[in-house]
Amino acid sequence: MIAAGIDVGSTSTKVVLLDNEKMCCKVKPTGWSPRQAGRECFQELLEQEGYRDEQVDIIVATGYGRVSLDFAHKAVTEITCHGRGAAFLVPGTDLVMDIGGQDSKVIKIDEKGKVLDFAMNDKCAAGTGRFLQVMAIALGLDVSELSELSRDHTPVTINNMCTVFAESEIIGLLAQGVEKGKIVAGIHASIARRMAAMANRMGTNGIVTFTGGVALNDGVRRSLENELGRKIVVPRDCQLVGAIGAALIGREILCNELISN
């Protein structure tokens, strides 16, 4: 029984294959065509692991590009898949904080990963991976440099969360001679305040798990912990949580079909 989960995000496409206890995965940039990225990433993973198309029993798609994957058997929202994937990777999670390329969300779940409530910012790039990319360019940096550069720096206040206005504000701070490390720490703190406001509306007594590509930025994780006043878990496969959740949902569908037959 082999189930595939494909998470087509705005920045990257992730594919996970579950073959009983074996899990394999692949990540590649989405580029201009979500459909092409989803198909290519899926095929490349099959070839990499020595599987054929017909061996895969079910494909579940998620992410913003999920509706474009006409070869998938089912499409499921990323909120549902992130809840399921986080509960699998970090048992005891009751709040998932996810920051992707173009949106951010906070999801309250039960012990099985079922979504109880959620809040989402998908209206603009404020506080998302795209926001960090634009700010890094304004600072003359690569986004991968932000975490280390902000370490041990006192954040300056960034007043604007709109990407356009924040970029202008940062250029102004550079002109004033403010250290880049303090500016980056301020950017991380502004993102953390926005996420913490959503998290506090949900409330949590259990484990908080941070997912999505931005979770790879340890500076954002540190700022989130400062805002929430508690430790946050970042699973090793933080980028893959949505795809893992989709594959798990696919496997459950197959199991239910076997039982009903």
Side-chain angles (χ1 to χ4, degrees), residues 2 6-7 15 20 33 46 54 88 94 99-100 115 148 155 168 174 181-182 188 192 197 205 222 227 232 239 241 261:
I2 301 176
I6 305 178
D7 179 3
V15 180
N20 295 312
S33 171
L46 291 181
E54 58 270 25
F88 174 77
D94 81 342
I99 304 180
V115 176
E148 193 57 34
S168 298
L174 286 172
K182 292 183 177 179
H188 291 165
N205 295 313
R222 293 193 299 269
E227 286 292 329
I232 291 173
Q239 269 189 299
V241 172
N261 291 332

Side-chain angles (χ1 to χ4, degrees), residues 33-83:
S33 171
R35 177 185 299 176
Q36 182 176 334
R39 169 61 80 179
E40 287 183 353
C41 198
F42 176 63
Q43 291 296 336
E44 288 171 12
L45 180 58
L46 291 181
E47 292 172 14
Q48 171 187 308
E49 300 297 328
Y51 290 106
R52 300 186 308 277
D53 274 33
E54 58 270 25
Q55 289 180 282
V56 179
D57 298 294
I58 189 168
I59 301 169
V60 176
T62 188
Y64 99 104
R66 63 186 181 275
V67 296
S68 66
L69 301 188
D70 53 5
F71 59 96
H73 299 96
K74 187 175 180 63
V76 180
T77 71
E78 59 264 43
I79 291 169
T80 299
C81 291
H82 272 83

Side-chain angles (χ1 to χ4, degrees), residues 105 121 177 203 240 242 257 259:
K105 43 196 170 288
N121 165 41
L240 299 172
E257 287 177 353
I259 293 170

Side-chain angles (χ1 to χ4, degrees), residues 8-204:
V8 183
S10 59
T11 304
S12 62
T13 294
K14 291 78 67 177
V15 180
V16 167
L17 281 179
L18 291 180
D19 181 358
N20 295 312
E21 297 304 314
K22 177 184 176 183
M23 183 173 76
C24 49
C25 61
K26 187 170 186 65
V27 180
K28 68 179 298 176
T30 297
W32 63 275
S33 171
R35 177 185 299 176
Q36 182 176 334
R39 169 61 80 179
E40 287 183 353
C41 198
F42 176 63
Q43 291 296 336
E44 288 171 12
L45 180 58
L46 291 181
E47 292 172 14
Q48 171 187 308
E49 300 297 328
Y51 290 106
R52 300 186 308 277
D53 274 33
E54 58 270 25
Q55 289 180 282
V56 179
D57 298 294
I58 189 168
I59 301 169
V60 176
T62 188
Y64 99 104
R66 63 186 181 275
V67 296
S68 66
L69 301 188
D70 53 5
F71 59 96
H73 299 96
K74 187 175 180 63
V76 180
T77 71
E78 59 264 43
I79 291 169
T80 299
C81 291
H82 272 83
R84 187 70 182 82
F88 174 77
L89 290 175
V90 188
T93 295
D94 81 342
L95 199 71
V96 183
M97 304 183 81
D98 176 77
I99 304 180
Q102 296 283 7
D103 64 33
S104 54
K105 43 196 170 288
V106 174
I107 310 163
K108 192 168 182 62
I109 60 174
D110 67 12
E111 69 278 5
K112 294 183 178 178
K114 181 182 177 182
V115 176
L116 302 176
D117 198 1
F118 72 94
M120 186 172 185
N121 165 41
D122 60 353
K123 303 300 182 187
C124 66
T128 66
R130 176 61 182 161
F131 179 83
L132 278 174
Q133 285 180 331
V134 172
M135 298 308 116
I137 291 170
L139 288 162
L141 300 167
D142 185 84
V143 72
S144 63
E145 299 176 274
L146 298 180
S147 174
E148 193 57 34
L149 192 63
S150 66
R151 186 181 295 277
D152 299 327
H153 281 286
T154 302
V156 295
T157 300
I158 305 295
N159 294 305
N160 291 291
M161 281 303 291
C162 167
T163 305
V164 175
F165 292 127
E167 184 180 18
S168 298
E169 186 177 355
I170 284 166
I171 292 170
L173 290 169
L174 286 172
Q176 294 169 32
V178 178
E179 288 180 55
K180 287 185 179 180
K182 292 183 177 179
I183 296 174
V184 176
I187 293 167
H188 291 165
S190 67
I191 292 173
R193 281 195 299 274
R194 191 180 183 91
M195 292 296 289
M198 289 196 287
N200 289 332
R201 285 200 294 273
M202 297 284 171
T204 176

